Amino acid sequence: MKALILVGGFGTRLRPLTLSMPKPLVDFGNKPMILHQIEALKGAGVTEVVLAINHQQPEVMLNFVKEYEKKLEIKITFSQETEPLGTAGPLAVARDKLVDESGQPFFVLNSDVICEYPLLEMIEFHKTNRAEASIMVTEVDDPSKYGVVVTEEGTARVESFVEKPKHFVGNKINAGLYLLSPSVLDRIELRRTSIEKEIFPKIASEKKLYAMVLPGFWMDIGQPKDYITGQRMYLNSLREKTPQELATGDNIIGNVLVHESAVIGEGCLIGPDVVIGPGCVIDSGVRLFGCTVMRGVWIKEHACISNSIVGWDSTVGRWARVFNITVLGKDVNVADAEVYNSGVVIEEQGL
């Protein structure tokens, strides 16, 4: 089987992190975002992944591909747009890479999505329903904020789509994971096209579109607040499925993921919902909760970081406070006793 991951876009919502790294390679749970998806695809029997790109750092993506093609023993190729083509146009560009004589369906994933990726179950769902296209949906508490997928009563067949409904029509929204038969490509022109607004409604009108309800957690982590929420969900999933991956100790509260090369000093209190990356140094008396500390970060004595993201190789000074959805970019130095309450920090602030 093959798969296409939509990794176009410039990651503006995750700046300043995406000023230093393409969004798909920004760390999440101590690995590049996109690696979560590629590993899941590999586990479902996918042998070739096509990355639909249009960003400005292709050499960084190329280095990633060279490394993980070998590690995962999976073929990874690029399909590059010369202009933005929406969510369907990239499939037309990549047509020759996705279609072969096997006639097998192929996956399409949005690179911002983090979940448990029940891809084998989706393959079975697609076959059982003899669908032309299958989409994963997730249930939400407030569907009025989203485009709602309405299914026929008692079945999984998609009846219609309703954008931000004023009255309740259902609570299932598009989760950004699809399994498509090759015939779907015949419906897509090589132009800027929305698969959600133009292609799927046509397939639904022919009663060939089905929606599978996603089990477990789901989050679009393309902006800082949702990234932090998604991290909490991800760590909780690790607790349920592979608790041995999480850190333990007297200074650990709740779900905490610590890279084996990180060093944590005396008298710290870490957690809940914290990820500490490789090569980090956490000095004594530090308090961390609800945050990500990426590779090579140094957090000095008695600093406190909460509900925030600290970018690669940054330094947070003694007694500094970083909280309330603050995002530090790469190589940022926060001065001793400095306080950051929300917002982004791009440049060095001094020590």
Side-chain angles (χ1 to χ4, degrees):
M1 290 188 72
K2 297 184 179 183
L4 180 137
I5 303 179
L6 296 166
V7 296
F10 297 93
T12 53
R13 296 181 301 164
L14 266 185
R15 287 179 178 171
L17 300 172
T18 50
L19 297 176
S20 304
M21 187 74 67
K23 183 176 63 173
L25 301 189
V26 170
D27 295 324
F28 180 87
N30 278 346
K31 66 175 74 172
M33 281 185 191
I34 200 171
L35 188 55
H36 293 270
Q37 299 183 333
I38 294 174
E39 288 177 341
L41 290 165
K42 166 78 174 180
V46 170
T47 56
E48 181 176 350
V49 175
V50 181
L51 305 182
I53 63 172
N54 66 9
H55 52 72
Q56 302 297 306
Q57 297 168 302
E59 70 285 348
V60 182
M61 289 295 292
L62 184 60
N63 291 336
F64 166 84
V65 166
K66 287 179 179 178
E67 179 181 357
Y68 285 99
E69 270 192 323
K70 292 180 180 179
K71 285 185 178 180
L72 299 179
E73 297 180 341
I74 188 171
K75 185 178 180 181
I76 306 174
T77 60
F78 291 124
S79 176
Q80 188 159 12
E81 304 170 34
T82 56
E83 60 181 295
L85 292 174
T87 53
L91 276 72
V93 174
R95 180 188 180 99
D96 291 343
K97 295 177 179 291
L98 295 171
V99 176
D100 57 30
E101 65 279 357
S102 72
Q104 288 266 51
F106 57 89
F107 286 105
V108 177
L109 284 73
N110 185 320
S111 66
D112 289 346
V113 168
I114 190 75
C115 64
E116 294 177 1
Y117 306 110
L119 303 181
L120 288 172
E121 294 91 328
M122 194 175 193
I123 294 171
E124 189 60 32
F125 175 88
H126 188 80
K127 291 179 178 178
T128 299
N129 288 292
R130 297 181 179 178
E132 182 176 9
S134 298
I135 66 175
M136 202 81 78
V137 294
T138 186
E139 297 177 342
V140 296
D141 294 332
D142 183 6
S144 66
K145 299 177 182 179
Y146 305 93
V148 174
V149 180
V150 181
T151 54
E152 292 180 357
E153 188 173 354
T155 78
R157 184 184 293 144
V158 175
E159 189 175 73
S160 62
F161 298 85
V162 181
E163 188 65 28
K164 297 181 179 179
K166 294 181 179 179
H167 305 287
F168 184 84
V169 295
N171 66 342
K172 300 181 181 71
I173 67 168
N174 187 339
L177 291 87
Y178 317 131
L179 186 58
L180 309 179
S181 298
S183 58
V184 173
L185 293 171
D186 297 332
R187 299 175 179 268
I188 302 173
E189 299 177 11
L190 185 54
R191 60 177 176 83
R192 189 181 183 96
T193 317
S194 167
I195 196 168
E196 299 86 1
K197 296 180 180 180
E198 298 178 61
I199 307 304
F200 286 158
K202 291 180 182 178
I203 301 174
S205 70
E206 298 174 16
K207 301 185 183 301
K208 296 178 181 179
L209 181 66
Y210 288 79
M212 173 182 164
V213 178
L214 176 71
F217 78 98
W218 175 89
M219 183 55 64
D220 179 329
I221 56 173
Q223 58 186 347
K225 182 179 179 181
D226 294 337
Y227 177 107
I228 292 168
T229 299
Q231 177 174 285
R232 174 178 54 78
M233 294 176 173
Y234 172 71
L235 292 174
N236 189 59
S237 177
L238 289 184
R239 172 68 64 188
E240 294 175 357
K241 297 182 179 301
T242 54
Q244 67 276 10
E245 294 185 33
L246 298 175
T248 57
D250 294 339
N251 63 336
I252 301 295
I253 302 174
N255 299 329
V256 175
L257 185 64
V258 180
H259 192 273
E260 60 185 10
S261 63
V263 177
I264 298 177
E266 297 292 328
C268 294
L269 197 56
I270 312 295
D273 306 320
V274 170
V275 174
I276 299 175
C280 290
V281 177
I282 314 297
D283 286 347
S284 62
V286 167
R287 178 71 175 104
L288 304 176
F289 61 95
C291 63
T292 286
V293 180
M294 293 183 178
R295 181 190 64 247
V297 167
W298 180 14
I299 301 178
K300 296 185 179 181
E301 292 91 341
H302 304 293
C304 178
I305 300 172
S306 66
N307 297 314
S308 296
I309 304 171
V310 181
W312 312 272
D313 302 315
S314 291
T315 300
V316 178
R318 298 172 182 85
W319 296 100
R321 298 291 183 268
V322 178
F323 62 103
N324 194 20
I325 319 297
T326 295
V327 184
L328 307 184
K330 179 178 170 59
D331 290 319
V332 169
N333 292 321
V334 174
D336 292 349
E338 195 73 66
V339 176
Y340 286 98
N341 177 6
S342 76
V344 302
V345 183
I346 299 174
E347 297 179 350
E348 180 175 330
Q349 302 298 304
L351 289 173

